[in-house]
Structures are given as C-alpha cells and as structure tokens.
Amino acid sequence: MASWSEAQDHRRAGVWTGILVLAILVAGVGSFVVAKYRWWLQPLASVQGRVIDQYFNWILLVTAIAFVATHLFLAVALMRYGARGGERASHWHEHLGAELTWTIVPGVAFIALGILGVFTWSRLYSAPPSNAQAVEVTGRQFFWYVRYPGADGRFARTDPKFVSQSNPLGLDPGDPAAKTNLVVLNELHMVNDRPIEVRVRSVDVIHSFFLPNFRVKQDAVPGRTIPIWFTPDKEGKYQIACAQLCGTGHYTMRGNVTVESQAAFDQWLQQQAAH
Ligand code: CUA
C-alpha cells in the first residue's frame, strides 16, 4: 500500500495537471479573442465571400465547443479523480450511454459540417453566369500577368513555342484575337456587382492566386487553366497575394485589385490599350 503522504503527492500532481489544462484552455480562448480584434479576416467585398464566411463561422463554432468541453472535462477528471496510489486501471462498459454520447455527438457534428461543406462548394464551383466578365491571371516568379480579351471577348490561343520577351504568355500571332488581347502586369480591374470569371494559370511553378477580401484562393498550376468566378460587390482598392511558397521572391508577389463602375473600367482598359 502506498503511504498517506504519497497519496497526497499524487492528488496534488492531479490538481496541478488540471490547472495546467485549464491554463491551455484560457490561452486558447484568449488567443482567439486577441486574433478576433487584431488580425481577423479582411473586410468582405464579394457576394460569394459571405457563403465562405458563414461556413468558416460554423466550423469555428463546432470546434470551439469541442475544444472548451473536452478541456473542461479533462481538467475536472484530473482534479477529481487523481490517483490515490493504490489503484489498478480497469476498463468496463457500464457507462454505455456516456460512450455512445461522446461518439455520436461529434460524429453527427462533423457529418453535418461535411454536408454543409458540399453545399458551400457547389455554390462556389459552378458555371459562371452568362454576363460574367472574363480575365486570365497567370502567375510567374514573381508577379501576375492579367490578360483582358478585346471587345469580342475572345482570348487568343497560346502555345509555349511563341513565348518570348515581348510575348511572355505565348499568344499565337496567327490568331486575330492576339491583336486585341491586352496583357498587363499586377493590375486586376473588376466591375462592381458584375460576376467575374478568372482563369488561373502559371508559366513556371505552383503559385496560389489569393484575394483575401473576396475569399478567393486558387492554386495556379503549370499546364492547367483553372476557372473560378465570384461577384465583387464593394468598390475600392484591394490586393492579390500569392499564398503558395514559390521561391525567394514569394513575399513580393503582390498585385493590385481595383473594383470600379463599368464606365471607369472601360475607360481604364482603353487607356491601357493606348499605351
Ligand atoms: Cu507565387 Cu508565392
């Protein structure tokens, strides 16, 4: 048998471990509060972003409840049921109800989140509306090419064999659209309240086209054209970031985004074409 003072030591250790678990809980909740007020999401500027934010909040809520509940339970169990020194561990299924509860409740919560995720995904990755403006964004170490089609809305064919200093995207000179296509650096202009389809490409390594304010993040993969669409709904200036470590200049891979009226957009495009 363990002595009385040994049993006291065990109980004290249990209480301290319980306090440590409570400290982790307080640190976790505290970090959330600090993050919420200092580094939270960028101001929202797209219709689809609302759907992403809702889903984000659901995940946060479910995981927060799980985090708080499990830490409280662990702390209480450590403090109350600390070893007294003479016990042997044993396993039995007397509390089947409790076992079923802690298996089924999280299971249902995560399946519900999964189903909600499928609906969220299907609302975002669908065919764009017919009035969508189309642009192509191509990542390259370490900037973004943005290609706007001409008035006919056509993008010229591209082929790596045409790539040169003056034709970095390899537009096919035999395609009439090559003359009307406009390629600019790091300047993505969009029309307010008009859906935009962005065809995301890369000419070298994997980049990630990230528009924090629009809740858009899409990998740019060499050899592939990946379309995404969304609807900006707040005029203003924003930024493109690259969200994939793509080389030493990764952190400089920043582009400008402007959301403006159709008239301002048309005027800007004309100015660019005149250059
Ligand atoms: Cu491109 Cu990081």
Side-chain angles (χ1 to χ4, degrees):
M1 276 300 274
S3 71
W4 183 80
S5 72
E6 244 180 88
Q8 277 294 92
D9 284 348
H10 281 280
R11 281 200 72 75
R12 209 170 291 138
V15 169
W16 280 110
T17 323
I19 290 172
L20 182 67
V21 170
L22 285 180
I24 292 171
L25 176 61
V26 170
V29 174
S31 320
F32 161 74
V33 173
V34 172
K36 171 94 189 152
Y37 289 101
R38 301 196 56 167
W39 307 293
W40 212 237
L41 303 170
Q42 288 280 305
L44 183 63
S46 79
V47 175
Q48 288 74 10
R50 229 158 277 137
V51 180
I52 295 271
D53 284 6
Q54 277 166 12
Y55 190 48
F56 176 88
N57 287 331
W58 276 111
I59 293 175
L60 190 64
L61 180 70
V62 169
T63 51
I65 291 171
F67 178 75
V68 172
T70 50
H71 279 75
L72 279 181
F73 176 77
L74 185 58
V76 169
L78 283 165
M79 289 185 189
R80 242 194 105 181
Y81 305 109
R84 288 184 177 81
E87 309 89 333
R88 292 191 55 193
S90 59
H91 306 272
W92 72 102
H93 294 284
E94 225 168 74
H95 301 292
L96 191 60
E99 278 191 46
L100 282 176
T101 308
W102 74 57
T103 307
I104 290 173
V105 170
V108 169
F110 284 108
I111 289 169
L113 278 184
I115 292 171
L116 194 60
V118 171
F119 280 109
T120 306
W121 179 269
S122 68
R123 284 173 72 177
L124 301 175
Y125 282 78
S126 51
S130 56
N131 67 333
Q133 174 201 359
V135 300
E136 182 194 79
V137 171
T138 305
R140 176 175 187 168
Q141 289 170 319
F142 296 98
F143 43 82
W144 303 96
Y145 292 113
V146 186
R147 175 155 68 126
Y148 299 85
D152 59 358
R154 280 198 56 234
F155 288 101
R157 279 187 306 273
T158 59
D159 193 309
K161 73 181 177 207
F162 297 118
V163 170
S164 69
Q165 200 99 79
S166 59
N167 184 8
L169 296 178
L171 308 195
D172 180 349
D175 187 333
K179 289 187 183 58
T180 56
N181 282 187
L182 180 71
V183 179
V184 299
L185 270 189
N186 286 335
E187 287 293 338
L188 174 58
H189 280 232
M190 318 193 257
V191 178
N192 193 30
D193 288 327
R194 181 171 170 195
I196 181 166
E197 185 195 30
V198 182
R199 302 173 187 184
V200 181
R201 302 179 68 190
S202 168
V203 292
D204 42 27
V205 299
I206 298 176
H207 302 276
S208 180
F209 174 69
F210 182 28
L211 301 177
N213 299 89
F214 306 87
R215 309 298 191 255
V216 166
K217 193 185 270 174
Q218 174 60 57
D219 271 4
V221 182
R224 292 190 61 188
T225 301
I226 303 171
I228 46 163
W229 77 272
F230 57 96
T231 313
D233 65 352
K234 203 148 92 212
E235 286 191 20
K237 299 261 183 200
Y238 307 95
Q239 283 186 350
I240 311 174
C242 178
Q244 185 75 258
L245 187 58
C246 54
T248 49
H250 158 71
Y251 69 100
T252 63
M253 204 164 157
R254 184 175 62 192
N256 302 311
V257 180
T258 305
V259 179
E260 60 203 349
S261 66
Q262 182 77 56
F265 173 82
D266 292 342
Q267 198 188 0
W268 175 80
L269 204 61
Q270 264 170 23
Q271 273 170 11
Q272 296 300 309
H275 276 219

